[in-house]
Amino acid sequence: MTAMHLLDCIETQLVCNRLPLVGVTVAAVPYANTPFVLTLHWHGFVETRLADVTDANVVAYQPVPSSALQVNERWDHFEELDHEVLNTAWELGAWRLERTEALPFVRPGATEQESMRCLGAFGTPPVLIEGQPPIVAECPDSEDLIEAASRSGYYEWIFHPVRGGLWTERNEDSTLQEGGYRNPPCPYLSAPIRPGRNRRVVYQLGKSERIAR
């Protein structure tokens, strides 16, 4: 199995941005060794002032845009990529990890919502919020990835980290260490994919302390 460094990439962005994360998404097309897109959803606001000076009055606050990064690491089999995301969510203390197996949006009966979700998953949402894009993307191959996803479908993962996240307390999750993390390795195996259908897989990572007692 090829070693990947998704966790290192996320932790580097946490150090650089110094903001808590609300969520993390990963999107990939069903072709081995293609780039995948990591999107980090930040909690924070940017001040909008009447003039470009420090003491000018603040007139509004805008949400910090999400960061979409293209990751060019090698993966030979789907299970490798799924296992990497699963391990990352586990170590960052996520309560659960959701994996969506999405059909191609260029097909009879596909909805506009499906195409918009795909564009957003690969860092190019077709919307603006107060005139600004909600995602700042560094994804040079996004057009090719979206074109491939439109024909062949794609995979998307989403989780909400505790370590480095908005909710840093342990709450009632008996699996977390102090600081909101879990020690590797993740005890769960990759669930097989089922091509040809829209499907959601949920990995339940956390456990309630009340249930554990």
Side-chain angles (χ1 to χ4, degrees), residues 9 32 52-53 80 97 131 152 156 160 166-167 184:
C9 184
D52 190 19
V53 292
E80 294 178 29
L97 169 68
S152 304
E156 183 180 34
H160 305 283
L166 182 59
W167 299 278

Side-chain angles (χ1 to χ4, degrees), residues 13-205:
Q13 293 299 311
L14 282 168
V15 171
C16 293
N17 285 279
R18 295 182 293 178
L19 289 171
L21 281 168
V22 177
V24 176
T25 59
V26 176
V29 295
Y31 298 106
N33 300 323
T34 52
F36 56 94
V37 174
L38 166 68
T39 304
L40 305 175
H41 306 277
W42 305 103
H43 176 72
F45 296 90
V46 177
E47 297 177 345
T48 301
R49 300 178 182 272
L50 291 173
D52 190 19
V53 292
T54 304
D55 57 352
N57 292 332
V58 177
V59 296
Y61 292 90
Q62 293 183 329
V64 173
S66 301
S67 304
L69 308 170
Q70 179 172 307
V71 182
N72 297 315
E73 295 192 353
R74 181 182 180 88
W75 55 283
D76 296 308
H77 305 284
F78 169 80
E79 291 77 11
E80 294 178 29
L81 182 55
D82 192 52
H83 192 258
E84 178 71 11
V85 181
L86 184 55
N87 272 278
T88 300
W90 170 263
E91 291 192 44
L92 291 178
W95 176 252
R96 66 181 185 177
L97 169 68
E98 295 183 14
R99 185 185 84 203
T100 299
E101 301 166 16
L103 291 174
F105 63 83
V106 177
R107 72 178 199 280
T111 65
E112 183 180 0
Q113 184 179 7
E114 289 180 78
S115 63
M116 292 182 66
R117 177 166 180 173
C118 180
L119 292 172
F122 290 98
T124 58
V127 295
L128 297 176
I129 298 178
E130 296 182 0
Q132 301 295 324
I135 297 178
V136 175
E138 296 180 11
C139 307
D141 295 320
S142 61
E143 290 187 6
D144 291 336
L145 292 172
I146 292 168
E147 199 276 332
S150 74
R151 294 180 287 102
S152 304
Y154 66 100
Y155 308 115
E156 183 180 34
W157 296 260
I158 182 169
F159 64 90
H160 305 283
V162 175
R163 177 185 171 192
L166 182 59
W167 299 278
T168 56
E169 298 181 0
R170 293 179 64 244
N171 296 321
E172 296 182 345
D173 189 343
S174 61
T175 68
L176 296 184
Q177 304 293 322
E178 291 295 333
Y181 68 93
R182 300 187 187 94
N183 291 317
C186 175
Y188 297 96
L189 299 177
S190 173
I193 56 175
R194 295 182 181 175
R197 55 181 292 190
N198 275 320
R199 178 171 176 251
R200 188 179 67 146
V201 175
V202 177
Y203 297 98
Q204 183 60 53
L205 307 179

